[in-house]
């Protein structure tokens, strides 16, 4: 199969012939239909987050099951699935207490003594986040897929695999916003737009989208934003405090920067909650004014929207087909695997929401 391999940090991915092993007892072979190019892939490509190399990147995807292992009963060949990097074991403390997104059991990957799932010319290729979806096929643990209805377009289903689940989940699961509350979202890429959409679904009374790109702010209105703030033109903190009589109930940081994380905390009102979704680079320290905590303000993180993805993803599919989840407007372009480096470069400029690699 063809796959996009990262061999060196800050270098383009190379399109190579990569071999996939046969499915083990609890593994599923998926024919990739679509894979979103997510900002998280860029973080690993540029070295902001270290990862063993060589590796096939990609983690936001959907496809069709081709083969299953002998002990797999959840899916069968022909089933349509969305993948999720939040693979779960089902028996650790995190899984048994409903926080499956934090599961990190080694059994979800192949052990060192076992043949690798991916290889090229006899060389082992590291699997990225248990998925590696910049490839024509994916060999994954059965607990890394969610079965969905077959009338769901797979290019839009792929977006649910990461960005949508992360953004909507941060709103409805991590922060658990109340209907009627006020919300501000910093960053209107795929995750930020999903936060806006999630806040609309959850019944927020006011949703303020914040970005430096005017076109993305206009796009945010299609996803449910009631107000927009261009951070390139005004002081965001002053603007939000004036618009909301002191600050919002909930803020969401969807970029991954020190400055915007601190900003997210400063724009919440007393008793408010700031949720950080963006991948802040390793080693970055965030500064918060200590006395602010005496006003019962909360700063928290969110991992993949605190998801229960086998429950959430089929519901998000229903939301889309019912017209409540606005995935059509999120796709900036559909590309081939050979265009993946251009798509990663476009993320650097911040001008696109999502480009989707199509394999069919």
């Amino acid at each position: 199969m063809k796959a996009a391999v990262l061999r060196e940090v800050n270098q383009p991915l190379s399109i190579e012939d990569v071999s996939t092993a046969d499915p083990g007892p609890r593994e599923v072979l998926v024919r990739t239909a679509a894979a979103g190019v997510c900002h998280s892939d860029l973080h690993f490509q540029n070295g902001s987050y270290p990862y063993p190399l060589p590796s096939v990147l990609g983690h936001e995807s959907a496809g069709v099951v081709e083969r299953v292992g002998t002990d797999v009963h959840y899916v069968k060949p022909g089933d349509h699935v969305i993948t999720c990097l939040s693979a779960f074991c089902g028996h650790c403390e995190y899984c048994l207490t409903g926080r499956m997104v934090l599961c990190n059991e080694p059994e979800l990957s192949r052990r060192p003594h076992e043949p690798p799932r991916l290889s090229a010319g006899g060389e082992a290729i590291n699997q990225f986040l248990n998925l590696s979806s910049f490839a024509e096929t994916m060999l994954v643990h059965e607990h890394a897929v969610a079965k969905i209805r077959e009338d769901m377009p797979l290019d839009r289903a792929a977006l649910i695999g990461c960005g949508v689940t992360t953004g909507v989940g941060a709103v409805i699961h991590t922060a658990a916003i109340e209907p009627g509350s006020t919300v501000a979202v910093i960053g209107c890429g795929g995750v930020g737009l999903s936060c806006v959409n999630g806040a609309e679904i959850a019944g927020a009374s006011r949703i303020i989208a914040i970005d430096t790109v005017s076109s993305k702010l206009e796009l945010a209105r299609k996803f449910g934003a009631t107000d927009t703030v261009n951070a390139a033109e005004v002081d965001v903190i002053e603007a939000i405090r004036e618009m909301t009589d002191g600050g919002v109930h909930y803020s969401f940081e969807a970029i991954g920067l020190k400055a915007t994380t601190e900003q997210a905390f400063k724009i919440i009102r007393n008793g408010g909650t700031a949720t950080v979704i963006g991948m802040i680079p390793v080693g970055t320290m965030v500064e918060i004014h200590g006395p602010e905590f005496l006003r019962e303000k909360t700063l928290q993180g969110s991992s993949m929207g605190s998801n229960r993805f086998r429950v959430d993803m089929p519901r998000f599919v229903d939301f889309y087909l019912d017209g409540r989840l606005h995935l059509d407007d999120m796709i900036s372009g559909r590309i081939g695997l050979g265009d993946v480096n251009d798509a990663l470069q476009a993320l650097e400029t911040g001008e696109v929401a999502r480009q989707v690699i199509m394999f069919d």
Side-chain angles (χ1 to χ4, degrees), residues 114-239:
E114 296 178 301
R117 286 176 178 161
L118 300 173
S119 62
E123 174 191 24
I125 304 293
N126 291 286
Q127 189 174 39
F128 183 61
L129 303 178
N130 294 312
L131 296 176
S132 287
S133 58
F134 291 169
E136 293 175 330
T137 60
M138 294 174 284
L139 181 62
V140 301
H141 192 280
E142 65 170 324
H143 286 173
V145 300
K147 184 166 53 177
I148 60 169
R149 50 197 282 190
E150 294 186 11
D151 57 342
M152 176 66 180
L154 289 174
D155 57 343
R156 275 137 287 185
L159 304 179
I160 294 174
C162 178
V164 172
T165 292
T166 297
V168 177
V171 172
I172 65 175
H173 292 321
T174 312
I177 77 166
E178 298 95 350
S181 57
T182 53
V183 170
V185 178
I186 303 176
C188 295
V191 172
L193 292 173
S194 296
C195 281
V196 170
N197 203 165
E200 179 189 47
I201 291 171
S205 63
R206 196 168 188 184
I207 305 167
I208 306 169
I210 304 164
D211 206 290
T212 59
V213 180
S214 297
S215 60
K216 292 170 75 173
L217 291 173
E218 287 304 310
L219 186 58
R221 289 190 178 275
K222 294 183 178 181
F223 283 74
T226 59
D227 303 87
T228 60
V229 172
N230 191 320
E233 299 175 352
V234 300
D235 183 291
V236 170
I237 297 169
E238 289 184 5

Side-chain angles (χ1 to χ4, degrees), residues 9-308:
V9 168
N10 265 328
Q11 293 299 313
L13 309 187
S14 57
I15 308 303
E16 303 180 17
D17 289 313
V18 174
S19 298
T20 304
D22 292 328
R26 301 195 65 189
E27 292 178 337
V28 177
L29 182 66
V30 178
R31 172 66 59 179
T32 314
V37 182
C38 177
H39 218 104
S40 300
D41 297 303
L42 180 63
H43 285 310
F44 288 94
Q45 187 267 341
N46 66 21
S48 297
Y49 277 70
Y51 203 82
L53 301 179
S55 178
V56 175
L57 296 187
H59 64 282
E60 183 181 80
S61 48
V64 180
V65 174
E66 283 204 338
R67 296 169 60 193
V68 301
T70 55
D71 294 340
V72 174
H73 304 289
Y74 172 63
V75 292
K76 65 184 184 305
D79 284 344
H80 290 205
V81 296
I82 299 173
T83 63
C84 187
L85 63 89
S86 302
F88 61 94
C89 71
H91 57 73
C92 70
E93 180 178 346
Y94 289 121
C95 287
L96 294 176
T97 55
R99 305 187 73 190
M100 298 148 64
V101 70
L102 299 178
C103 177
N104 194 32
E105 288 296 309
E107 68 192 64
L108 301 171
S109 304
R110 287 197 172 183
R111 303 299 176 89
H113 66 276
E114 296 178 301
R117 286 176 178 161
L118 300 173
S119 62
E123 174 191 24
I125 304 293
N126 291 286
Q127 189 174 39
F128 183 61
L129 303 178
N130 294 312
L131 296 176
S132 287
S133 58
F134 291 169
E136 293 175 330
T137 60
M138 294 174 284
L139 181 62
V140 301
H141 192 280
E142 65 170 324
H143 286 173
V145 300
K147 184 166 53 177
I148 60 169
R149 50 197 282 190
E150 294 186 11
D151 57 342
M152 176 66 180
L154 289 174
D155 57 343
R156 275 137 287 185
L159 304 179
I160 294 174
C162 178
V164 172
T165 292
T166 297
V168 177
V171 172
I172 65 175
H173 292 321
T174 312
I177 77 166
E178 298 95 350
S181 57
T182 53
V183 170
V185 178
I186 303 176
C188 295
V191 172
L193 292 173
S194 296
C195 281
V196 170
N197 203 165
E200 179 189 47
I201 291 171
S205 63
R206 196 168 188 184
I207 305 167
I208 306 169
I210 304 164
D211 206 290
T212 59
V213 180
S214 297
S215 60
K216 292 170 75 173
L217 291 173
E218 287 304 310
L219 186 58
R221 289 190 178 275
K222 294 183 178 181
F223 283 74
T226 59
D227 303 87
T228 60
V229 172
N230 191 320
E233 299 175 352
V234 300
D235 183 291
V236 170
I237 297 169
E238 289 184 5
I240 297 299
R241 288 176 176 173
E242 289 179 5
M243 294 168 67
T244 59
D245 191 27
V248 293
H249 294 97
Y250 298 95
S251 69
F252 297 88
E253 196 280 347
I255 301 175
L257 299 175
K258 167 184 167 66
T260 48
T261 297
E262 293 168 357
Q263 202 172 67
F265 189 75
K266 291 176 182 177
I267 62 175
I268 55 174
R269 64 173 57 194
N270 293 339
T273 298
T275 301
V276 180
I277 310 168
M279 295 176 64
I280 301 171
V282 174
T284 301
M285 303 300 291
V286 175
E287 298 176 275
I288 299 297
H289 189 220
E292 296 283 347
F293 289 110
L294 298 178
R295 306 309 298 164
E296 299 195 358
K297 296 184 177 183
T298 300
L299 177 65
Q300 65 179 357
S302 176
S303 177
M304 280 293 292
S306 305
N307 71 75
R308 311 86 38 93

